[in-house]
Amino acid sequence: DVKVTQSSRYLVKRTGEKVFLECVQDMDHENMFWYRQDPGLGLRLIYFSYDVKMKEKGDIPEGYSVSREKKERFSLILESASTNQTSMYLCASGLGGGQGNQPQHFGDGTRLSIL
Amino acid sequence: GDSVTQMEGPVTLSEEAFLTINCTYTATGYPSLFWYVQYPGEGLQLLLKATKADDKGSNKGFEATYRKETTSFHLEKGSVQVSDSAVYFCALSQGGSEKLVFGKGMKLTVNP
């Protein structure tokens, strides 16, 4: 089974801090994704990556950046955390290969609170 | 752009009731369609998928049929259990990027 591991289940940070959310997958997947999940809004894509050192903006990239130095690891960075970034963050990975019909595999999420 | 519209709920049912969650989509081309489920405190898990018109996905007693003529992918289960209490998301992907477009999710509670 694919395992996607997010480094923290719960995280509390202060406004203005630089925050790192880490995600690791163990199935050699090409694609990795970061979403945020908010009540009434569903899941919204922040950034995704289809290869090492490659990244593309999703629907809501403002205030975030990402890093993918190794294939198995995809980090989400909040450059200067703000209270409106309090949310549940979900990482996912996908097989890739241009099929477009493969499912994504999700981690358990990080519930981030910015005070 | 592509979009997914689904029932949002919340919905409360009694055990053994019939469940339908409506999902319709707007997309150019021929997307793949998915239902994901999120149990309390967990991430999303794939429930079922269909990749072309008239395909039926099924898993754990749930079924959904890809209807191109009505651009729909409704989720059904004949007899729900307490353990089916979760949030259900309809989603589509198109092209080679595997990017998913999600509906807003529907919270289902099943009471004994």
Side-chain angles (χ1 to χ4, degrees):
Chain A
D1 269 359
V2 176
K3 188 156 181 63
V4 178
T5 302
Q6 295 185 230
S7 54
S8 304
R9 292 298 303 272
Y10 301 94
L11 206 54
V12 180
K13 295 292 182 181
R14 297 209 171 272
T15 303
E17 281 192 69
K18 190 168 186 176
V19 181
F20 294 84
L21 303 183
E22 307 288 346
C23 175
V24 176
Q25 50 96 1
D26 66 356
M27 282 301 291
D28 202 36
H29 281 175
E30 299 287 335
N31 297 342
M32 296 189 75
F33 306 83
W34 275 107
Y35 298 89
R36 64 177 282 175
Q37 181 180 8
D38 299 288
L41 297 177
L43 275 77
R44 295 178 290 168
L45 181 64
I46 305 171
Y47 267 96
F48 69 102
S49 167
Y50 52 89
D51 200 353
V52 175
K53 297 191 186 295
M54 304 299 287
K55 61 185 179 185
E56 286 197 23
K57 294 179 180 179
D59 301 317
I60 52 164
E62 296 78 19
Y64 303 95
S65 63
V66 290
S67 172
R68 194 167 181 202
E69 296 295 319
K70 294 185 178 181
K71 192 174 186 179
E72 67 270 19
R73 186 179 297 271
F74 192 36
S75 303
L76 179 69
I77 303 156
L78 285 65
E79 297 290 344
S80 177
S82 64
T83 54
N84 63 10
Q85 292 178 308
T86 292
S87 186
M88 169 73 89
Y89 290 87
L90 290 166
C91 175
S93 70
L95 184 62
Q99 299 280 340
N101 60 4
Q102 297 299 314
Q104 291 181 18
H105 301 265
F106 284 80
D108 284 338
T110 296
R111 188 165 292 283
L112 175 65
S113 296
I114 307 295
L115 305 179
Chain B
D2 298 345
S3 66
V4 174
T5 303
Q6 65 171 108
M7 290 171 58
E8 295 183 28
V11 169
T12 301
L13 297 175
S14 297
E15 206 165 25
E16 300 184 4
F18 184 84
L19 171 70
T20 299
I21 306 176
N22 289 340
C23 172
T24 57
Y25 66 89
T26 301
T28 56
Y30 303 96
S32 295
L33 301 174
F34 304 85
W35 277 101
Y36 283 84
V37 60
Q38 184 179 34
Y39 299 105
E42 299 183 12
L44 276 68
Q45 303 175 21
L46 177 69
L47 183 58
L48 53 82
K49 74 173 187 179
T51 59
K52 61 182 188 296
D54 300 324
D55 265 2
K56 177 186 282 189
S58 61
N59 186 25
K60 299 182 180 181
F62 290 89
E63 292 183 340
T65 301
Y66 189 144
R67 301 286 189 200
K68 188 171 183 299
E69 63 276 13
T70 55
T71 62
S72 65
F73 192 53
H74 305 321
L75 183 69
E76 295 183 338
K77 186 174 186 181
S79 177
V80 294
Q81 306 300 311
V82 172
S83 57
D84 293 326
S85 298
V87 181
Y88 293 82
F89 292 92
C90 185
L92 68 80
S93 75
Q94 185 146 244
S97 69
E98 290 183 351
K99 283 169 54 178
L100 286 170
V101 175
F102 284 91
K104 293 184 177 180
M106 194 206 81
K107 183 175 182 180
L108 171 68
T109 301
V110 181
N111 292 325

